[in-house]
Amino acid sequence: MSNSKKSITSEQQYLTLLKDIMKNGLGKEDRTGTGTISVFGRQLRFDLNEGFPLLTTKKMFLRGITHELLWFLQGSSNIKYLVDQNVHIWDDWPYRYYKQQAEKGKVAKLTQEEFVQKIKDDAKIAKKWGELGPVYGVQWRRWKTPEGKEIDQISELIQNIKDVASGKSYKSSRRLIISAWNVADIEEMTKSGLPPCHTIFQFYVLDGKLSCQLYQRSADTFLGVPFNIASYALFTMMIAHVTGLKPGEFVHTFGDAHLYLNHLDQ
């Protein structure tokens, strides 16, 4: 679904996507066993000059969105920063692994609340049990090459955007891309959670404006997508600010866009 008419609000685009899935989606099994109805290949567009696309049709955890983005940009793979900010959107994954070890008798049994409190209070426990592996922040800031070097994709992106915007170099103008889909690390990511859902995004500079297009391979449209829209819109505006550009569009492209069956009533 693509619509660039300025009269279409963020909420209207989002609700139209949900209606599209409910009307045209087909049943599809998923890893959780819940079941979904799914469509493939949809797109939303948000003109950031018209305002920030924070959806108002449901409650949004903007503080959590902001801290998660800052966490990514730090290159972190440990939930302690988020826990310290009272943001708990990633707690389930390391606790799931800890619980598995507890069931084998290797560690003391803790509730998730007790586990999170220990992550908050004890740096050693956080270091041992708060790690998620090579997730988004690691790939953005510390992508490892076969030679063992690390590539800071964000720093390179910012410099390349500045070079393109100033006319210093157009070599990178179609290569302003960040990838989180590091094939060599997928199995390691899966141990502590999921392979990246927002897999790759590309920036575009034209007429003093910076636009961004995200490809999201898997999209939980009821819970996740409103969060993702706000996160990448904010990210685009941040990168525009540090590169001296005005925000352009955020284009959100989906692969498997789905509604879980237990979300249909809502």
Side-chain angles (χ1 to χ4, degrees):
M1 181 183 64
S2 175
N3 198 325
S4 59
K5 293 181 180 179
K6 293 186 177 181
S7 60
I8 303 298
T9 67
S10 302
E11 287 82 3
Q12 287 171 327
Q13 287 198 71
Y14 172 67
L15 293 175
T16 300
L17 173 63
L18 297 185
K19 291 175 183 176
D20 175 17
I21 296 171
M22 293 186 73
K23 178 180 179 181
N24 300 307
L26 297 176
K28 187 178 182 184
E29 295 301 316
D30 68 285
R31 63 176 177 80
T32 71
T34 305
T36 69
I37 53 173
S38 170
V39 297
F40 185 69
R42 296 296 190 270
Q43 188 178 89
L44 306 177
R45 307 183 76 99
F46 305 97
D47 185 346
L48 301 180
N49 290 286
E50 293 191 337
F52 188 75
L54 185 68
L55 301 183
T56 59
T57 48
K58 62 180 298 184
K59 186 175 181 180
M60 295 293 293
F61 185 29
L62 185 57
R63 184 174 60 81
I65 291 167
T66 303
H67 280 300
E68 184 196 49
L69 178 57
L70 294 174
W71 179 63
F72 290 159
L73 290 169
Q74 291 170 12
S76 180
S77 58
N78 194 295
I79 66 167
K80 180 165 173 53
Y81 168 80
L82 296 175
V83 169
D84 288 345
Q85 306 303 321
N86 198 27
V87 174
H88 300 288
I89 52 181
W90 283 84
D91 291 355
D92 289 354
W93 302 111
Y95 178 67
R96 183 181 66 172
Y97 179 70
Y98 181 90
K99 187 177 180 181
Q100 290 171 350
Q101 301 308 302
E103 289 170 351
K104 295 176 182 178
K106 295 182 178 181
V107 293
K109 290 186 177 181
L110 297 172
T111 65
Q112 185 161 332
E113 291 74 18
E114 291 169 337
F115 172 78
V116 169
Q117 190 62 46
K118 285 187 177 292
I119 294 290
K120 184 178 180 66
D121 295 340
D122 192 320
K124 289 183 178 179
I125 291 177
K127 185 176 181 180
K128 181 176 177 62
W129 295 106
E131 280 294 322
L132 291 163
V135 292
Y136 294 103
V138 174
Q139 303 304 335
W140 288 13
R141 306 305 306 265
R142 295 182 281 119
W143 178 296
K144 287 189 177 180
T145 70
E147 297 78 24
K149 297 179 180 179
E150 291 185 347
I151 298 174
D152 185 341
Q153 294 192 81
I154 297 295
S155 291
E156 290 192 4
L157 171 78
I158 290 171
Q159 186 58 56
N160 288 337
I161 290 174
K162 288 180 177 179
D163 289 346
V164 172
S166 67
K168 181 179 178 180
S169 173
Y170 292 104
K171 180 181 71 173
S172 300
S173 64
R174 300 172 189 169
R175 305 176 190 177
L176 302 173
I177 292 172
I178 299 287
S179 176
W181 193 262
N182 188 337
V183 176
D185 285 345
I186 295 298
E187 184 176 351
E188 190 66 25
M189 296 180 204
T190 305
K191 289 179 182 178
S192 57
L194 289 172
C197 292
H198 27 114
T199 57
I200 189 169
F201 48 98
Q202 179 177 2
F203 285 90
Y204 178 82
V205 178
L206 187 67
D207 196 27
K209 294 181 180 179
L210 181 72
S211 296
C212 175
Q213 178 169 208
L214 165 67
Y215 180 78
Q216 186 166 350
R217 66 169 180 89
S218 174
D220 175 352
T221 53
F222 182 71
L223 288 181
V225 166
F227 197 102
N228 303 137
I229 291 169
S231 179
Y232 275 85
L234 176 60
F235 185 37
T236 303
M237 296 172 82
M238 289 168 65
I239 298 295
H241 177 73
V242 299
T243 56
L245 296 166
K246 294 181 179 179
E249 277 191 304
F250 169 54
V251 184
H252 200 164
T253 301
F254 304 100
D256 185 325
H258 51 267
L259 279 166
Y260 282 98
L261 297 183
N262 59 353
H263 293 160
L264 296 183
D265 288 343
Q266 292 96 315

